[in-house]
Amino acid sequence: MRKLYLLGNFGLAVILAILINQQALAVTKEDHQIPQLSDIQLPHTSVKEWLAQQEQSTLLVTGIKLNQTANGLEVILETSASDKLQVTTKIEGNRFLANIPNVQLRLASGNTFRQEKPVAGITEVLAVNQDANSIQITVVGTTQAPKVELFDSDEGLVLGVTPTTLETQPSADSQKPNEPDIELLVTAQKRSEDAQNVPLSLTVIPQQELEDAQINSFTDIANNTPNFSFFPTSSGAAEFNYYSMRGLSNFNFLASQDSVAFYIDDVPFDYGGFLDLGLIDLQRVEVLRGPQSTLYGRSSPGGVVNVISRQPTDSPEMLFSASYGNYNSREVQLSLSNAVIPDKLGFRFAGVYSGRDGLVDNVFLDRTVGERSQLVGRAQVLWTPTPEWNVSFNTYANYTDSGNPTFVPRNSEDPFKSEQTVDGHARVSNDTQALKVNYDGTDFQFTSITARRFTNQDNFLGDNVPRRDFLRQIIGINSTVWSQEIRFQSPESADRLRWLLGGYYESREFNANNDTLEYTETGAAAFGLFSPGRDRVIAEQFRNTYAVFGQLDYKPIEPLTLFAGLRYESSNISLDRQRVFEIPNGGVIPSSPELRGADQKSDEWIPRFGLQYQFNPNLMAYGTISKGYRPSGFNYRADTEDTRRYGEEKSWTYEIGLKSSWLDNRLTANLSVFHTNVDGYQVLLTDDFGFFRNVANADVNITGVEFELKATPVQGLDLIGSVGYVDSRFQDYRNPFTGANFSDNRVPLSPEFTYNLAAQYRSPGGIFARLELRGYGTNYFDDANQIKQDPFALVNARIGYEGPNYGIYLYANNLFDTRYITSGFFFPPPNVTAGFGDPVTYGIQFRANL
């Protein structure tokens, strides 16, 4: 905002003298005439004159016209100098917003323009003066935000509006071929911007692609992202999920903080045993690879997976889908949305039930095992009291009930036949609540996110040793996480200088109420125990995390942006634990001294800085240097002080990349190259019996490349592909418990390469077809690199017919029934036991908009 300075008589006289002198010296070459005093423009000496000058320098919109077109609507802002307008745009739910500085409305009918329902698919067009120096144009779609193109004309600035209601979207509800978006807006950097302008390695999966590829889990997201893998320990199991991003994994599941941050509608999720979640009614998924510490509340050295659900609509919407397939797989999904008060208060509800019979034939018990069911629900209420403020409340609940995860000998002829003596279960439930308050003003933006998440895991697992009943594993874990994030940042219209400042607090209570190995008489004899019974660990961990973070982006010249960010994070963790042996007659024998009130503190400064250069509108390059960090912690399973504590993990990542888009975004190609040095990588180790009990630190070097391509060579045909290569290796690392040298070995759970390719066609006549190829390189499951999965590939196919408001499809996943393992370990040593991925699955799906 301009400031008004009042000049004293002396200052005015000095300025007047300078101006007269400069005018006198400015003699033109043509006539060499010395200007007269009357020709000199004097500065204004009153507020009235100054305000008059400001009004003259501010452009005026003297009229607004609406013209109906074949595609929708033209909104014409009548002004004499539309080429001087600098417009910033963003999407909020079903609203398109255009903010225009240095302009005011001066209409004959007043200083506000409003037209309701000008064409089908558009609820309202609104133009208002935001303040004394800017206006805002709002175009509200019936169900979805419209597509808007900006261009100049002889009459003024034109907004070409195309409604994108569910009836006209190129999906199951339309017969129109798919067309590339003008730009794909993301919020990876906490502001709405084109994904191709974000200076980091970023995979974006928009709503249409989520539907076409049937993406409804973190595994599906990883399958469409380079250098990201996500596998359950065995087919269909909810016991645990292993993931890896850019060579950093969660193999150390006893760590106090994950290497990747998972968000569902601003709620942070962690721990591999809690991530078997159903993702429903999605709008967009953003996967950010590399350290993220200066823009997100929770720090993550590997990256961030950000899941954004669909928002409430301003008119009734109902989406329904149902599917049925082999293994009696079934799924029913429904979502409802509407406005209680148009433009002010709306809601959205969504739910899904899915189930499947077991995949494994247990010949010992003479029945199939591993059945699975899942129930997911989500609700959101969105209140928009003013255009600047919106308040949303989200709640999410998930319950997954799986049978006993099935592990078989690595060399089994048929991995889907077992001889387990016990059929157990693996169950996990989550419920979350989040309150988000957002202010989008002309001077700054403000965001507050208050979230709570409760998770409970209940497992009863057999030992998977054929026809032997050595032991059972009983797990009872629950976790409560409270988090509060606050961000202040520059307004959406900021261009040359952008800033963000935030704070984060997290309280995490992790209770292992029952971490037990129950030995039978056979098991006690095999492991040299004096009696059968339960070896039980009971532990309570409390961790508080405090952080402040910020980032500054500055354009010294138009094509160059420099950015720097810094985070300070402090955490403290405490541990209470005991380990006892419970014998059948009711006796309890302490196995180690009880521990109370052990605590540990850690803190770190975490910087990030880099630059991006826009060579032209189609090509951008960037380079970043960023630090990753995971705090120290406790291994609650350890009995002695020397094995109970593990150190901090610190890393530096160096990355350069290119982003390009051509042919009106019909072709995009992105490339990134990175190198990461990890000091103190947190490693999980087994004890002499093959149980995961020990944690150590090691050094790791990681080098990788990522390439992504999207193309629409002809109308209706889309090609989507990516490839990632990563070489993640230990450096100067010996197992501190056995002395084994693992230097130069590959880090477990980090596939050497990942790739995916999808080709899909949507015809004007309603035919839809999609073919996918997903592949993985060599993957190891232990530090010694003795258990591995060789490279393999999976093929998925989908074909269907789409009508105006419905679609029916046939699908097949793992079409050629490829066999591959998703986990492997020595148990009982030296035998290798492994979990296998799903066999071929196929079925039929129906989707409709009602």
Side-chain angles (χ1 to χ4, degrees):
M1 182 181 292
R2 296 182 175 88
K3 296 182 179 179
L4 181 61
Y5 293 91
L6 301 179
L7 303 178
N9 293 334
F10 178 76
L12 180 61
V14 172
I15 292 174
L16 180 61
I18 293 173
L19 288 173
I20 294 173
N21 185 53
Q22 288 180 338
Q23 291 282 358
L25 293 176
V27 180
T28 62
K29 293 183 179 180
E30 289 79 6
D31 52 15
H32 299 279
Q33 293 295 318
I34 297 176
Q36 301 298 312
L37 185 60
S38 59
D39 297 328
I40 300 173
Q41 183 176 357
L42 300 180
H44 298 291
T45 58
S46 69
V47 173
K48 182 178 180 180
E49 291 175 342
W50 183 87
L51 290 174
Q53 183 188 37
Q54 303 314 301
E55 185 166 344
Q56 292 175 2
S57 64
T58 299
L59 297 177
L60 300 180
V61 174
T62 56
I64 296 180
K65 293 198 306 185
L66 303 184
N67 292 336
Q68 189 169 348
T69 66
N71 295 325
L73 180 72
E74 284 186 347
V75 181
I76 304 174
L77 307 183
E78 296 179 336
T79 181
S80 59
S82 63
D83 58 325
K84 295 182 180 180
L85 300 180
Q86 301 296 320
V87 186
T88 60
T89 65
K90 66 177 179 178
I91 302 294
E92 286 186 355
N94 62 330
R95 301 188 305 161
F96 170 88
L97 302 176
N99 294 310
I100 312 176
N102 300 321
V103 66
Q104 285 284 279
L105 295 176
R106 292 293 186 269
L107 310 178
S109 58
N111 294 335
T112 298
F113 175 88
R114 181 173 184 173
Q115 178 64 55
E116 296 183 351
K117 299 180 180 179
V119 295
I122 301 298
T123 302
E124 179 186 53
V125 176
L126 175 68
V128 297
N129 289 323
Q130 288 198 105
D131 52 37
N133 197 39
S134 66
I135 68 173
Q136 183 178 77
I137 311 297
T138 304
V139 184
V140 183
T142 303
T143 56
Q144 302 288 319
K147 293 182 179 179
V148 179
E149 295 182 85
L150 305 177
F151 54 91
D152 296 318
S153 72
D154 293 338
E155 295 181 88
L157 179 68
V158 179
L159 285 72
V161 179
T162 303
T164 55
T165 62
L166 291 172
E167 290 74 17
T168 60
Q169 280 189 331
S171 62
D173 9 39
S174 172
Q175 294 180 311
K176 294 185 178 182
N178 198 8
E179 298 179 358
D181 292 332
I182 296 175
E183 63 177 12
L184 182 58
L185 297 177
V186 299
T187 54
Q189 296 194 112
K190 302 304 180 185
R191 57 177 178 263
S192 182
E193 58 188 331
D194 188 344
Q196 290 299 103
N197 293 332
V198 179
L200 54 82
S201 190
L202 171 67
T203 295
V204 184
I205 309 176
Q207 178 180 319
Q208 188 63 60
E209 191 176 335
L210 292 167
E211 295 178 359
D212 293 341
Q214 292 183 287
I215 295 173
N216 55 23
S217 69
F218 288 127
T219 298
D220 296 332
I221 294 172
N223 288 338
N224 290 270
T225 306
N227 282 333
F228 182 27
S229 61
F230 192 103
F231 293 113
T233 51
S234 68
S235 181
E239 176 213 10
F240 201 80
N241 294 277
Y242 285 125
Y243 64 77
S244 175
M245 186 178 289
R246 284 192 166 186
L248 298 175
S249 76
N250 69 329
F251 189 66
N252 176 20
F253 59 81
L254 295 175
S256 60
Q257 183 168 309
D258 279 11
S259 59
V260 173
F262 296 86
Y263 287 87
I264 300 178
D265 295 327
D266 300 306
V267 178
F269 284 76
D270 63 356
Y271 187 67
F274 300 160
L275 294 176
D276 188 13
L277 304 170
L279 307 179
I280 59 172
D281 204 32
L282 302 184
Q283 176 179 315
R284 184 175 70 255
V285 172
E286 303 170 2
V287 183
L288 295 69
R289 295 180 295 279
Q292 307 297 323
S293 59
T294 63
L295 293 172
Y296 284 81
R298 171 173 286 184
S299 177
S300 51
V304 166
V305 180
N306 195 20
V307 177
I308 300 104
S309 301
R310 294 188 190 183
Q311 301 297 298
T313 56
D314 208 37
S315 60
E317 176 184 284
M318 178 185 294
L319 306 178
F320 172 80
S321 71
S323 65
Y324 186 81
N326 61 333
Y327 298 104
N328 192 31
S329 64
R330 62 272 183 201
E331 180 179 287
V332 178
Q333 184 172 166
L334 178 68
S335 67
L336 303 169
S337 184
N338 201 354
V340 179
I341 304 175
D343 299 329
K344 296 293 184 182
L345 184 64
F347 67 86
R348 190 173 193 97
F349 302 131
V352 61
Y353 165 77
S354 62
R356 184 181 67 185
D357 290 349
L359 304 179
V360 177
D361 182 15
N362 188 318
V363 297
F364 183 84
L365 299 176
D366 193 26
R367 55 190 169 89
T368 58
V369 296
E371 68 283 351
R372 171 184 172 86
S373 64
Q374 187 173 63
L375 188 63
V376 184
R378 184 180 75 87
Q380 181 184 17
V381 177
L382 177 63
W383 178 41
T384 310
T386 69
E388 295 82 19
W389 286 94
N390 68 74
V391 180
S392 64
F393 176 77
N394 284 282
T395 183
Y396 168 90
N398 179 98
Y399 176 72
T400 304
D401 186 358
S402 298
N404 198 123
T406 302
F407 302 93
V408 297
R410 174 69 176 91
N411 56 359
S412 295
E413 292 184 6
D414 186 350
F416 297 100
K417 278 191 175 181
S418 75
E419 298 179 288
Q420 290 178 255
T421 57
V422 175
D423 183 21
H425 62 260
R427 298 167 181 155
V428 63
S429 60
N430 289 271
D431 69 83
T432 72
Q433 301 81 37
L435 178 66
K436 182 177 182 179
V437 180
N438 187 76
Y439 170 75
D440 187 1
T442 57
D443 298 320
F444 68 91
Q445 298 178 77
F446 166 78
T447 303
S448 170
I449 304 169
T450 307
R452 173 194 175 273
R453 173 173 57 85
F454 175 78
T455 309
N456 185 76
Q457 186 179 35
D458 171 26
N459 294 347
F460 179 77
L461 314 175
D463 59 20
N464 295 283
V465 179
R467 294 185 177 272
R468 304 293 295 272
D469 186 11
F470 285 109
L471 56 84
R472 297 87 181 265
Q473 185 178 23
I474 304 170
I475 298 293
I477 294 174
N478 66 70
S479 172
T480 303
V481 178
W482 285 91
S483 63
Q484 175 64 57
E485 182 174 351
I486 293 177
R487 296 192 305 267
F488 290 90
Q489 62 191 95
S490 53
E492 196 76 34
S493 59
D495 180 33
R496 190 166 184 177
L497 178 66
R498 296 181 298 201
W499 53 269
L500 180 146
L501 180 64
Y504 183 75
Y505 168 74
E506 179 179 288
S507 169
R508 181 176 186 255
E509 179 182 349
F510 187 90
N511 298 317
N513 299 319
N514 203 358
D515 191 339
T516 298
L517 293 174
E518 182 180 54
Y519 294 90
T520 64
E521 290 188 3
T522 304
F527 288 96
L529 302 177
F530 69 93
S531 168
R534 293 185 172 187
D535 183 4
R536 183 180 180 188
V537 175
I538 305 168
E540 294 180 351
Q541 290 191 91
F542 299 89
R543 187 188 68 197
N544 290 316
T545 301
Y546 307 85
V548 291
F549 55 93
Q551 182 166 306
L552 192 68
D553 296 30
Y554 176 65
K555 282 185 179 181
I557 55 175
E558 184 57 35
L560 177 65
T561 300
L562 306 176
F563 53 88
L566 184 63
R567 175 189 187 88
Y568 174 74
E569 180 173 307
S570 175
S571 66
N572 56 75
I573 184 170
S574 65
L575 173 67
D576 298 334
R577 60 94 66 183
Q578 58 178 318
R579 181 180 177 188
V580 297
F581 193 84
E582 301 170 343
I583 57 179
N585 65 8
V588 178
I589 303 172
S591 301
S592 63
E594 184 176 354
L595 181 70
R596 291 289 179 184
D599 66 322
Q600 192 167 191
K601 296 181 179 180
S602 55
D603 65 299
E604 190 68 20
W605 292 94
I606 312 171
R608 175 180 183 264
F609 48 92
L611 58 86
Q612 70 179 97
Y613 192 87
Q614 196 78 41
F615 291 99
N616 57 54
N618 300 320
L619 180 63
M620 183 266 282
Y622 69 89
T624 61
I625 300 175
S626 51
K627 188 175 185 178
Y629 173 72
R630 287 205 289 173
S632 57
F634 287 110
N635 170 13
Y636 73 83
R637 288 183 174 177
D639 291 327
T640 61
E641 185 65 21
D642 60 329
T643 60
R644 185 173 296 128
R645 299 173 187 263
Y646 56 86
E648 298 170 314
E649 177 182 306
K650 303 177 184 179
S651 62
W652 283 97
T653 297
Y654 310 87
E655 179 177 348
I656 57 174
L658 289 172
K659 291 193 170 186
S660 64
S661 59
W662 313 94
L663 305 175
D664 293 329
N665 278 359
R666 291 185 177 272
L667 174 65
T668 62
N670 300 331
L671 174 69
S672 60
V673 180
F674 63 91
H675 177 77
T676 302
N677 295 320
V678 187
D679 182 14
Y681 182 74
Q682 296 169 359
V683 183
L684 184 65
L685 301 170
T686 58
D687 61 15
D688 295 337
F689 297 112
F691 301 121
F692 291 110
R693 287 197 181 277
N694 301 317
V695 178
N697 291 89
D699 293 340
V700 171
N701 277 349
I702 306 171
T703 301
V705 180
E706 293 156 354
F707 177 72
E708 295 182 280
L709 178 73
K710 290 187 177 183
T712 305
V714 296
Q715 192 175 53
L717 176 63
D718 291 317
L719 303 176
I720 305 168
S722 72
V723 60
Y725 167 80
V726 65
D727 183 25
S728 181
R729 295 182 181 271
F730 290 116
Q731 303 294 314
D732 301 323
Y733 171 47
R734 289 181 179 272
N735 185 322
F737 304 100
T738 66
N741 188 355
F742 298 143
S743 298
D744 206 39
N745 283 9
R746 291 185 62 90
V747 174
L749 302 180
S750 179
E752 185 176 14
F753 57 83
T754 58
Y755 61 87
N756 68 280
L757 177 64
Q760 76 172 39
Y761 179 69
R762 179 172 272 115
S763 76
I767 300 299
F768 172 84
R770 180 182 176 95
L771 188 66
E772 300 173 347
L773 175 66
R774 298 170 179 169
Y776 303 85
T778 302
N779 190 15
Y780 294 95
F781 298 92
D782 67 317
D783 295 344
N785 288 180
Q786 295 177 353
I787 308 173
K788 73 171 182 176
Q789 169 63 55
D790 292 324
F792 68 96
L794 306 175
V795 175
N796 303 328
R798 183 170 167 87
I799 188 170
Y801 175 78
E802 298 175 341
N805 297 300
Y806 68 90
I808 186 167
Y809 311 87
L810 298 174
Y811 67 87
N813 297 321
N814 191 6
L815 185 62
F816 299 107
D817 203 19
T818 300
R819 298 288 191 258
Y820 60 97
I821 67 172
T822 59
S823 65
F825 45 91
F826 289 105
F827 184 82
N831 301 302
V832 176
T833 299
F836 281 76
D838 286 357
V840 57
T841 57
Y842 49 84
I844 186 171
Q845 183 192 41
F846 175 77
R847 289 205 310 241
N849 301 322
L850 306 176

